[in-house]
Amino acid sequence: MVFKALSDPTRRRVLELLKARPMSAGELSAHFDVSKPTMSAHFAVLREADLVASEKRGKSIVYQLKMSVLEEALLGFTTAFGWELQDARADKRNTRKQKRVTE
Amino acid sequence: MVFKALSDPTRRRVLELLKARPMSAGELSAHFDVSKPTMSAHFAVLREADLVASEKRGKSIVYQLKMSVLEEALLGFTTAFGWELQDARADKRNTRKQKRVTE
DNA sequence: TCGACATTTAGCTAATTATCGAAATGAGTC
DNA sequence: GACTCATTTCGATAATTAGCTAAATGTCGA
């Protein structure tokens, strides 16, 4: 259900926000112009897709992005189209495909 | 509307089939267990997302994958998550980030 | 325990979706 | 022109979706 979860722009933006750091439901909701219950429903979809983890923290519920799940799903897709997906910050030295590099 | 278009598994599979080569509506439909009108509707969604081009060829209509559109959309997303998307067959020599490679 | 706060659940609605069979369109063939 | 084939359009339906308000749940602090 990952792609279904990603089909909504609000949910994609939520994931993007969670990329920066874990955030509570309320904190996330503050970024959008829809009601809290609507946001809660979006969170539920993301949870069911296993794209986020939620943890109770006092009064709040803190959501955290599960990067590996997102990456795995995306990887399956991009690979089928002949693309490589890699961390932009990865150290390119000594990678598997390294060879005959000039300069 | 690209992500909406990608949210359906049938449509994702259609794109994958078109990755190999352009195919007619009927040829594509043969790969799926749904009616022609249903497939036609899927094609319409892909067309509206600009993910495929269609061309009349005699009796048939041939669909072709617009890789660049797909790549562009995906790139926008993956970049936001700190990933790089690149052609797996690309020649890695003399790329922008090339530097200090050992061996 | 009471009140305030954070979030979810319940119940509803309007819009969209995937699906179908039947009919319409359009191009090639006889 | 009439027939056939490929595809789409039409019209209908059941399921899903995103959205809302109001109510319920659960936690903290006084």
Side-chain angles (χ1 to χ4, degrees):
Chain A
M1 304 265 10
V2 170
F3 280 87
K4 261 293 171 38
L6 295 180
S7 71
D8 185 274
T10 297
R11 287 193 293 263
R12 285 199 301 277
R13 185 79 188 107
V14 166
L15 294 180
E16 231 172 287
L17 288 168
L18 291 179
K19 167 78 173 33
R21 59 184 171 83
M23 288 173 81
S24 72
E27 210 171 352
L28 285 167
S29 296
H31 286 81
F32 302 88
D33 198 28
V34 296
S35 73
K36 303 284 183 71
T38 295
M39 289 305 295
S40 185
H42 282 308
F43 299 150
V45 172
L46 292 174
R47 249 185 283 116
E48 269 143 48
D50 199 33
L51 284 167
V52 299
S54 62
E55 183 202 354
K56 223 166 275 190
R57 268 224 165 200
K59 274 192 254 188
S60 301
I61 292 181
V62 173
Y63 285 98
Q64 179 160 6
L65 174 59
K66 293 175 89 167
M67 271 298 257
S68 61
V69 174
L70 179 58
E71 181 167 11
E72 197 67 29
L74 237 38
L75 203 59
F77 184 75
T78 57
T79 302
F81 285 90
W83 287 311
E84 260 180 33
L85 188 68
Q86 55 183 42
D87 194 328
R89 301 223 173 289
D91 190 328
K92 301 298 194 310
R93 283 174 295 175
N94 298 325
T95 55
R96 180 172 55 82
K97 302 215 158 188
Q98 204 58 249
K99 64 174 90 161
R100 289 191 316 280
V101 178
T102 57
E103 207 277 315
Chain B
M1 301 263 16
V2 172
F3 279 88
K4 260 296 170 38
L6 295 181
S7 71
D8 185 274
T10 296
R11 286 193 294 265
R12 285 198 302 277
R13 185 79 187 109
V14 166
L15 295 180
E16 232 172 285
L17 288 168
L18 291 179
K19 166 78 171 34
R21 59 186 171 83
M23 289 172 81
S24 72
E27 210 172 351
L28 285 167
S29 296
H31 285 81
F32 302 89
D33 197 28
V34 296
S35 72
K36 302 285 183 69
T38 297
M39 289 306 296
S40 187
H42 283 308
F43 300 150
V45 171
L46 292 174
R47 248 185 283 116
E48 269 144 47
D50 199 33
L51 285 168
V52 298
S54 63
E55 182 202 355
K56 224 166 274 192
R57 268 222 163 202
K59 274 193 254 187
S60 302
I61 292 179
V62 173
Y63 285 99
Q64 179 159 7
L65 174 59
K66 293 175 91 167
M67 271 298 258
S68 61
V69 174
L70 179 58
E71 180 166 12
E72 197 67 29
L74 237 37
L75 203 60
F77 184 74
T78 57
T79 302
F81 285 90
W83 287 311
E84 262 181 29
L85 188 66
Q86 55 183 42
D87 195 326
R89 303 223 169 289
D91 190 329
K92 301 298 195 311
R93 283 173 295 175
N94 298 325
T95 54
R96 180 173 54 81
K97 301 214 159 186
Q98 204 58 248
K99 64 174 90 156
R100 288 192 316 282
V101 178
T102 57
E103 207 276 320

